[in-house]
Amino acid sequence: MKPVAFDYLAAESLESALAALSQAGGDGKILAGGQSLMPMLNFRLVRPSILIDINPIARLAYIQGAAGTIRIGALTRHHALETSILLKARLPILTAAMRHVAHLAIRNRGTIGGSLCHADPAAELPMLALLLDAKIGIHSLKGRRTAAAHKFFIGALTTSLGDDEMVTDVELPELPPGTGWAFEEAARRTGDFALAAVAVTISARDATVIEARLAMMGVGETPLRAHAAEALLTGRAIDAAAIEEAVAAIEATVAPNTDLHASADYRQFLIAALARRAIDTAWRRACGVPP
Ligand SMILES: Cc1cc2nc3c(=O)[nH]c(=O)nc-3n(C[C@H](O)[C@H](O)[C@H](O)COP(=O)(O)OP(=O)(O)OC[C@H]3O[C@@H](n4cnc5c(N)ncnc54)[C@H](O)[C@@H]3O)c2cc1C
């Protein structure tokens, strides 16, 4: 199929993009990498009256490190995230996750802003935004606001973004020194969307966990944090028993659906297996032991 006819604006500035979005009154769509939007247009799942192409706004593509935080522009490509030396040094879990995002050709065009706004339940960047307590920078003609990741993703392909708003940047707080991490994903083939994935960070001092975070996808309409498991892992050293307690807490709280790609039982099995492996790896890294 071909898309329904639409107008096209190559926006030269943030202001002109926001003005066009506001004028469209809910009928406009931002075009970033186009890797999700173009198929949706071709299948006529979306029928915007105008596409507002933000690719000419070069100042929306950057990765900047400041004290304690990393800020990333909405138009930053997946491949730039994957190959950033700054991210590899300061947020290696993001570098590791990016290798699981689609194929190189798609990573060359797809953007962090597009991935967050598309909010696919099996996408890596929304899950990491949730894990890392990202603050999502949002602009409209009325000004700037930020949304915490846990308030941004509200359903499959659904965010809290207003019709006249666009995402401009993402702020990722850095993890404390002594933080171990792990990213584990299961997909049928390299480059496919995940069947399930788990991301873990563990910050430790004197062989005791001071903070544990665990995010999952493939078991709900949005990525999820495993708060009960995080609490069980905190304030202790991690051994096999601690891992099994955390995994049991995860199994008790998730209720995946059966779909074309996997049964609910298989997803439940996967999430437990991935969590077991990820907690162990993150703990080893936190203790300075190579996984
Ligand atoms: C074959 C294939 C496999 C894929 N596999 C994976 C995978 O394994 N993991 C994964 O995470 N992704 C995967 N993707 C999706 C890919 O990562 C996309 O790049 C991403 O989902 C969307 O980014 P984009 O920049 O291309 O956004 P676009 O396609 O341009 O836009 C997507 C949506 O977000 C909106 N939007 C874009 N930018 C903004 C903004 N700044 N503000 C407001 N709204 C905005 C658009 O209007 C549209 O609704 C795959 C895609 C394909 C085609």
Side-chain angles (χ1 to χ4, degrees):
M1 283 216 326
K2 294 290 170 214
V4 171
F6 53 80
D7 291 333
Y8 170 84
L9 172 75
E12 297 292 339
S13 67
L14 178 58
E15 294 69 28
S16 62
L18 294 175
L21 206 50
S22 168
Q23 255 171 25
D27 250 356
K29 276 273 174 204
I30 298 287
L31 172 65
Q35 300 303 300
S36 299
L37 183 56
M38 297 315 291
M40 303 260 291
L41 284 169
N42 286 341
F43 284 119
R44 299 196 173 190
L45 294 171
V46 290
R47 298 163 174 247
S49 61
I50 180 167
L51 279 197
I52 302 155
D53 185 352
I54 59 171
N55 284 276
I57 315 176
R59 71 182 178 94
L60 287 180
Y62 60 85
I63 302 171
Q64 283 169 359
T69 184
I70 293 173
R71 192 183 257 211
I72 302 174
L75 202 57
T76 307
R77 311 283 168 189
H78 300 330
H79 187 58
L81 300 176
E82 183 184 359
T83 53
S84 159
I85 292 166
L86 178 85
L87 288 175
K88 192 172 181 193
R90 290 173 57 177
L91 268 183
I93 192 169
L94 192 64
T95 312
M98 292 316 295
R99 292 187 200 119
H100 295 272
V101 178
H103 307 277
L104 185 56
I106 291 161
R107 296 201 292 272
N108 274 334
R109 292 302 301 164
T111 65
I112 186 168
S115 182
L116 297 180
C117 295
H118 187 58
D120 192 300
E124 287 77 5
L125 282 166
M127 181 172 76
L128 282 194
L130 190 71
L131 177 86
L132 299 170
D133 291 331
K135 287 198 191 97
I136 299 170
I138 296 167
H139 274 81
S140 71
L141 287 183
K142 290 174 224 122
R144 175 184 165 85
R145 71 175 177 101
T146 57
H150 71 272
K151 296 207 168 144
F152 187 74
F153 304 109
I154 55 180
L157 308 186
T158 310
T159 68
S160 60
L161 207 59
D163 285 343
D164 61 342
E165 291 184 319
M166 70 175 260
V167 166
T168 49
D169 57 86
V170 185
E171 201 176 298
L172 300 170
E174 250 184 301
L175 297 163
T179 297
W181 59 272
F183 186 90
E184 294 287 343
E185 174 167 321
R188 275 186 191 277
R189 297 167 305 190
T190 307
D192 278 6
F193 274 105
L195 293 176
V198 173
V200 175
T201 64
I202 292 179
S203 309
R205 196 183 303 130
D206 302 329
T208 301
V209 177
I210 52 172
E211 188 190 43
R213 300 186 199 184
L214 196 152
M216 322 170 264
M217 67 177 179
V219 286
E221 297 277 286
T222 63
L224 300 170
R225 281 280 288 270
H227 291 298
E230 292 174 358
L232 278 166
L233 293 170
T234 305
R236 65 199 287 188
I238 293 183
D239 55 12
I243 293 176
E244 287 316 313
E245 281 175 43
V247 168
I250 291 167
E251 287 177 316
T253 49
V254 299
N257 287 325
T258 294
D259 61 23
L260 269 182
H261 307 289
S263 68
D265 283 351
Y266 185 52
R267 284 183 196 278
Q268 184 98 3
F269 166 82
L270 274 181
I271 215 76
L274 297 173
R276 204 171 272 123
R277 202 182 298 159
I279 297 167
D280 185 51
T281 302
W283 171 244
R284 283 170 193 270
R285 285 198 169 112
C287 298
V289 180

